[in-house]
Amino acid sequence: MKASRLVPLAAALTVTAVGAGLTGVAVSFARAVVTPRPHKPDDVEVLQVGPHRVVLEQTVDTVVPGRYGVWTDGGRGHFRVGDVLDVTDGRVTRELLGVDRGVPRPGSARWNQYYYSGDPSTALGLAHEDLVVPGEVGDLPCWFVPTASRGESDVWAVLVHGRGATREEALRALPVLHELGIPCLVPSYRNDADAPAAKPGLYGLGDTEWNDVEAVAQHAIDSGARRLLVVGWSMGGAILLQFVARSPLAEKVCALVLDGPVVDWYDVLDNQARQRGIPVRLGRYGLRLLAHPVGRRLVGVRGPVDLRAMDWVRRAEELVLPVLLLHSDADDYVPHGPSERLAAARPDLITYVASSTARHTKEWNVDPPRWESAVRDFVTAKLEEVP
């Protein structure tokens, strides 16, 4: 072959290789977005343990004020920490508030943003029942926390954790709801470590998981609930917004409480692309694959994942239910901007509680009384409006 013909051929092959490489990056990004990570690695080092304090390595999490937990020994141990007492030379000294399991000792551990660990009975001293609720993809494990009197209550709450989290994320909200006399259901949903996997075992980012919330809501209604309060964190908020938009049971919902919710997936995932060093436009290409017939096969999802249908800033006028929306401007995973814009678009329905300092869904951790007061006041007002 003549040299003059080799040049354009080489150029074409180079362009093809670059295009394939970029598509591979986009596919990898999209696949990471929808792939559960059931096993999380240790992410903090315990350096020293004393009777009333613990020394941890300095990380972006360990220096933030508030209450948190630490899992040790592969999750078999757990202790809780409070105020930051000192930060020196990469070492953070915090108050040791309590030991729930095991014996704290220096070594590798994992940060627990939920603060509590266990179930409502062991973590909070609130009597609970372990239920199984039949769902679209199988039996869903669920905690039921009745009222103290076990008497009838017209309003029940369904609490939905976020992406990659567990039911323990909801423990922080149970005391204030229990105080208000509201029975609570805390379910796992498809692809959780303790729940059935939906083929092919990937997240729908709310587009499919809302069906599991519907099953739990139906259980509440069948058990005597006349109205529902729904509470969600992060992707749990996206799930609940799909539930109230798409389920006939939405007519039973009296209000939503959303903490650090995803109200615009594009904004969240643009932020994730930047954090991973991926150009936003390339990340967007990956997200478009989730809705494209060929792209879906590359990523591995079965049905289209329509992120535009989950953009509630764009759909703000469609909201018909009152919402308490709590979001920190220091949220490192779900930027607060879309929540602010949604609240500004619907001040008639949305009570927006802004905060600072708290990282993702840790508003309660940084200031428990403020978080609980906001929830108590909002829920009390909405219960008074329930006919």
Side-chain angles (χ1 to χ4, degrees), residues 61 271-272 275 330-335 358-360 362:
D61 284 315
N271 179 59
Q272 289 299 301
Q275 290 186 4
D331 194 320
D332 54 309
Y333 192 85
V334 177
R359 286 165 65 80
H360 184 48
K362 300 180 179 73

Side-chain angles (χ1 to χ4, degrees), residues 156-160 187 205-221 227-232 235-256 258 309-310 312 315 319-321:
W156 288 36
V158 178
L159 289 72
V160 183
L205 304 182
D207 197 47
T208 54
E209 292 84 357
W210 70 269
N211 291 282
D212 299 338
V213 173
E214 183 180 61
V216 176
Q218 186 63 62
H219 174 83
I221 293 165
R227 301 303 299 273
L228 299 171
L229 169 73
V230 293
V231 184
M235 189 177 88
I239 294 170
L240 291 178
L241 287 165
Q242 290 304 298
F243 166 64
V244 298
R246 298 164 70 172
S247 173
L249 298 184
E251 64 181 18
K252 299 291 187 179
V253 178
C254 60
L256 298 90
L258 306 179
M310 292 183 275
W312 285 94
R315 298 180 62 183
L319 288 176
V320 297
L321 292 165

Side-chain angles (χ1 to χ4, degrees), residues 82-380:
D83 292 340
V84 175
L85 304 176
D86 181 62
V87 181
T88 305
D89 298 331
R91 298 160 65 92
V92 181
T93 302
R94 302 191 72 125
E95 181 183 9
L96 178 61
L97 297 180
V99 178
D100 302 307
R101 299 188 301 275
V103 178
R105 57 175 58 91
S108 183
R110 184 157 60 91
W111 195 245
N112 173 16
Q113 70 184 53
Y114 316 144
Y115 180 65
Y116 298 109
S117 178
D119 58 37
S121 298
T122 59
L124 301 168
L126 295 177
H128 85 284
E129 299 173 21
D130 290 306
L131 305 178
V132 173
V133 176
E136 183 180 63
V137 298
D139 291 340
L140 305 171
C142 186
W143 292 328
F144 172 59
V145 181
T147 60
S149 65
R150 289 185 173 264
E152 292 186 3
S153 176
D154 287 342
V155 178
W156 288 36
V158 178
L159 289 72
V160 183
H161 67 75
R163 180 187 183 279
T166 70
R167 284 180 283 170
E168 290 170 309
E169 184 164 46
L171 289 170
R172 294 167 291 179
L174 289 175
V176 67
L177 297 177
H178 190 261
E179 170 196 322
L180 293 172
I182 300 174
C184 296
L185 289 165
V186 186
S188 293
Y189 51 79
R190 64 188 65 194
N191 300 317
D192 281 349
D194 62 346
K199 294 180 180 179
L202 301 176
Y203 289 127
L205 304 182
D207 197 47
T208 54
E209 292 84 357
W210 70 269
N211 291 282
D212 299 338
V213 173
E214 183 180 61
V216 176
Q218 186 63 62
H219 174 83
I221 293 165
D222 292 343
S223 301
R226 198 161 56 86
R227 301 303 299 273
L228 299 171
L229 169 73
V230 293
V231 184
W233 290 260
S234 191
M235 189 177 88
I239 294 170
L240 291 178
L241 287 165
Q242 290 304 298
F243 166 64
V244 298
R246 298 164 70 172
S247 173
L249 298 184
E251 64 181 18
K252 299 291 187 179
V253 178
C254 60
L256 298 90
V257 175
L258 306 179
D259 186 328
V262 177
V263 297
D264 177 358
W265 272 114
Y266 281 118
D267 189 87
V268 172
L269 298 174
D270 286 352
N271 179 59
Q272 289 299 301
R274 285 189 289 267
Q275 290 186 4
R276 299 181 190 196
I278 298 171
V280 168
R281 294 177 70 176
L282 185 57
R284 285 283 181 117
Y285 172 42
L287 301 181
R288 287 196 295 273
L289 296 176
L290 294 173
H292 190 279
V294 175
R296 294 202 311 269
R297 288 199 291 272
L298 292 174
V299 177
V301 295
R302 273 194 166 182
V305 179
D306 185 0
L307 299 184
R308 280 183 57 81
M310 292 183 275
D311 180 352
W312 285 94
V313 178
R314 185 176 62 87
R315 298 180 62 183
E317 64 180 25
E318 298 178 40
L319 288 176
V320 297
L321 292 165
V323 179
L324 173 64
L325 204 168
L326 306 106
H327 213 143
S328 169
D329 63 15
D331 194 320
D332 54 309
Y333 192 85
V334 177
H336 68 289
S339 287
E340 284 191 341
R341 293 192 287 274
L342 178 58
R346 294 305 305 270
D348 55 321
L349 286 177
I350 297 177
T351 301
Y352 187 62
V353 179
S355 62
S356 60
T357 306
R359 286 165 65 80
H360 184 48
T361 65
K362 300 180 179 73
E363 288 83 359
W364 178 92
N365 302 73
V366 169
D367 194 342
R370 184 171 186 258
W371 193 96
E372 292 173 358
S373 177
V375 171
R376 183 184 297 107
D377 292 348
F378 175 81
V379 173
T380 299

